[in-house]
Amino acid sequence: MKRPGRIIRMWQGVGPHLLPFANATSERLPMSRLLRLSLFQISCGMAAVLLVGTLNRVMIVELKVSAWLVATMVALPLVFAPLRALIGFKSDTYKSVLGWRRVPYLWLGTIIQFGGLAMMPFALLVLAGDTWADPWTGQLAAAIAFLMTGFGMHMVQTVGLALAADLTPRDQQPNVVAMLSAMQLVGMVLAGLVFGALLADFSQLRLIQVVQGAAALTLVLNLVAVWQQEARDPSRTARTAEREPTFLEAFHALRQSGPWNRRLLGAGLGTAGFAMQDVLLEPYGGQILGLSVGATTGLSALLAGGAVIGFLRAARRLRHGADPHQVAATGGLFGIAGFTVIIFSGAIGSGGLFAGGVALIGLGAGLFGHATLTACMRAAPPEQTGLALGVWGAVTATSAGVAIALGGVLRDLISALAEAGALGEGLAQAATGYVSIYLIEIVLLFITLAVVGPLVRSRGASQARPAAGLAGAAQI
């Protein structure tokens, strides 16, 4: 028998430590099917880069829209973030004649997301004043476009993750959810690189082509992702006389199962600490360091790339038994270091140092996000994993939205005071508003460490869960 070649032998010898999601597959959900399902996360990552990366830079720098208005527009989609828990709960209990629970919600979210992206470039041009109409028409059109895109994203992501959980044995669910979350970051990296290249020579026509192309691609990706993924089972969704718990009853039961208030408070504060800069990093690079549109759009790819590395690192540490809250605290420390580096990069005018700080922030956010999600899934009772995932998403998304809006408003306010000389001659410069936000984020991350600290190695109710459940979660 012919011996396998050297390359094949090397590939066969690759250990699980280099393939953190290799054990996410199962007989019911092989890798090919899982990768196809993950396409909905690629579309969500693509839309996220447009909302908090490319479009906010274009609106602030090229279209001359006020930062407070841009921050408000970007934060508007997160008005629907608290509904993530309700959407997940409703898709759990949906009664369909066709026998589907998840697919109707997922496709509805896709259509809403497509509609928002399709109208967005025209709404932005009107918002920038390229019209004879009153200013409020542009603001209203842009608000509707951002709301539709964000609401569609929330629905697609929540129901898509729930569908993946349905298709996966319980002991593999945390692994699959972790992989799908990483795929969103991969989508952000790819979208950031592609959008940066396409918008290197910026024009209004090119902006319309890029955003509407993203809208069409969203339909294609999500259709392929859900095609024949959920089996039709009318008996499963048939109406019965049995009373099912309401959302509030289910949520109350979840909170009684452990220190969920502290756990969710830590996740929310940390997310806010990482997210307040979302609409400011690219304008900071353009206004303070003089970077081009293509270069600053590439920062989104760098930020997402750092997050992917953080996600993989967190997966490895958790697989070897690390406490998820300790991993989250480590992510917070990386975030503090990243914001400190960015502040110094502006002081010395170094684009390379700025890029290094962005990468550190992405790394910290990846560690923190993966760890807090895993902590919530491990602590949830077996019958409430989907609800726990939705609650985590609702808290983190809401916190991110509030932080993004406050970041833009405070940046404009502080910059106006600084340029007017109200803060002293030494602070009368454009960078003052940005640096103030970065300092606030550092403070928020230190507070997060104080909140999460008591949860480290505090098993509480999680010790009462079956050993098999812990063993499965530890494989993330």
Side-chain angles (χ1 to χ4, degrees):
M1 183 176 179
K2 186 177 179 180
R3 188 181 182 186
R6 181 180 178 183
I7 295 179
I8 295 178
R9 294 199 306 273
M10 291 177 60
W11 178 251
Q12 290 174 340
V14 172
H17 62 286
L18 296 178
L19 300 172
F21 299 120
N23 57 356
T25 60
S26 63
E27 183 177 350
R28 293 173 53 193
L29 191 63
M31 181 59 73
S32 59
R33 187 178 180 185
L34 178 58
L35 288 175
R36 182 164 62 86
L37 178 62
S38 70
L39 291 178
F40 80 87
Q41 286 286 63
I42 300 292
S43 72
C44 289
M46 178 176 61
V49 167
L50 279 175
L51 293 182
V52 302
T54 304
L55 292 181
N56 81 77
R57 151 69 198 246
V58 167
M59 285 189 286
I60 292 176
V61 179
E62 273 68 34
L63 300 181
K64 308 301 182 182
V65 180
S66 299
W68 73 266
L69 183 57
V70 173
T72 302
M73 291 296 173
V74 174
L76 273 178
L78 296 166
V79 169
F80 295 108
L83 296 179
R84 290 182 66 139
L86 181 60
I87 290 171
F89 175 77
K90 287 294 186 180
S91 69
D92 283 339
T93 59
Y94 183 61
K95 305 298 183 181
S96 169
V97 175
L98 296 176
W100 280 329
R101 293 187 302 166
R102 314 293 188 187
V103 170
Y105 280 91
L106 201 151
W107 191 243
L108 176 60
T110 299
I111 296 299
I112 296 174
Q113 182 178 337
F114 166 80
L117 289 175
M119 68 179 291
M120 186 172 294
F122 303 104
L124 295 183
L125 296 180
V126 175
L127 179 67
D130 190 8
T131 178
W132 50 264
D134 293 331
W136 66 266
T137 58
Q139 296 171 6
L140 179 61
I144 293 174
F146 275 90
L147 281 171
M148 290 178 64
T149 303
F151 183 56
M153 283 178 56
H154 287 309
M155 184 174 292
V156 167
Q157 196 168 47
T158 301
V159 180
L161 291 174
L163 175 59
D166 292 342
L167 299 174
T168 309
R170 178 164 178 80
D171 61 342
Q172 297 296 331
Q173 285 179 0
N175 299 318
V176 170
V177 171
M179 178 181 175
L180 291 176
S181 299
M183 289 302 291
Q184 182 184 7
L185 299 178
V186 172
M188 294 177 68
V189 172
L190 295 176
L193 294 174
V194 172
F195 293 154
L198 292 176
L199 292 173
D201 297 324
F202 177 80
S203 68
Q204 292 185 352
L205 178 60
R206 180 60 61 88
L207 176 66
I208 294 172
Q209 293 172 335
V210 169
V211 179
Q212 291 202 323
L217 188 57
T218 295
L219 283 180
V220 175
L221 290 176
N222 290 356
L223 176 62
V224 174
V226 301
W227 186 259
Q228 294 185 345
Q229 293 282 12
E230 184 179 26
R232 291 182 55 197
D233 185 2
S235 64
R236 182 184 61 192
T237 55
R239 299 185 182 275
T240 63
E242 298 180 5
R243 180 185 179 276
E244 297 179 351
T246 65
F247 169 75
L248 292 178
E249 290 172 345
F251 180 65
H252 179 73
L254 179 67
R255 290 183 57 200
Q256 297 301 312
S257 64
W260 279 90
N261 289 341
R262 178 178 288 272
R263 186 176 293 117
L264 294 175
L265 177 62
L269 287 173
T271 301
F274 280 108
M276 190 173 285
Q277 48 72 33
D278 273 358
V279 298
L280 300 178
L281 274 184
E282 295 196 26
Y284 181 81
Q287 185 176 357
I288 306 302
L289 298 175
L291 302 178
S292 65
V293 175
T296 56
T297 299
L299 292 175
S300 295
L302 182 61
L303 186 69
V308 169
I309 295 174
F311 224 86
L312 297 177
R313 178 59 182 169
R316 184 178 180 182
R317 290 191 60 186
L318 292 170
R319 188 173 64 251
H320 287 85
D323 187 279
H325 299 104
Q326 187 176 30
V327 176
T330 303
L333 292 175
F334 273 107
I336 292 170
F339 287 117
T340 303
V341 169
I342 285 180
I343 292 173
F344 281 106
S345 73
I348 65 176
S350 172
L353 195 62
F354 177 57
V358 172
L360 283 175
I361 293 173
L363 176 63
L367 287 167
F368 185 84
H370 187 297
T372 54
L373 173 60
T374 301
C376 289
M377 293 194 69
R378 287 185 179 183
E383 70 279 1
Q384 292 187 310
T385 302
L387 177 60
L389 189 149
V391 170
W392 174 87
V395 169
T396 54
T398 302
S399 299
V402 173
I404 290 171
L406 284 177
V409 172
L410 291 177
R411 178 264 177 191
D412 279 359
L413 177 61
I414 296 173
S415 293
L417 292 174
E419 293 175 2
L423 303 180
E425 184 178 351
L427 296 178
Q429 51 185 310
T432 300
Y434 293 103
V435 172
S436 300
I437 301 304
Y438 300 148
L439 290 174
I440 292 174
E441 291 182 286
I442 290 175
V443 172
L444 282 174
L445 291 177
F446 272 120
I447 296 175
T448 300
L449 297 181
V451 172
V452 171
L455 295 174
V456 176
R457 296 298 178 190
S458 177
R459 300 296 183 181
S462 63
Q463 282 187 333
R465 296 188 62 191
L470 286 176
Q475 293 300 314
I476 297 181

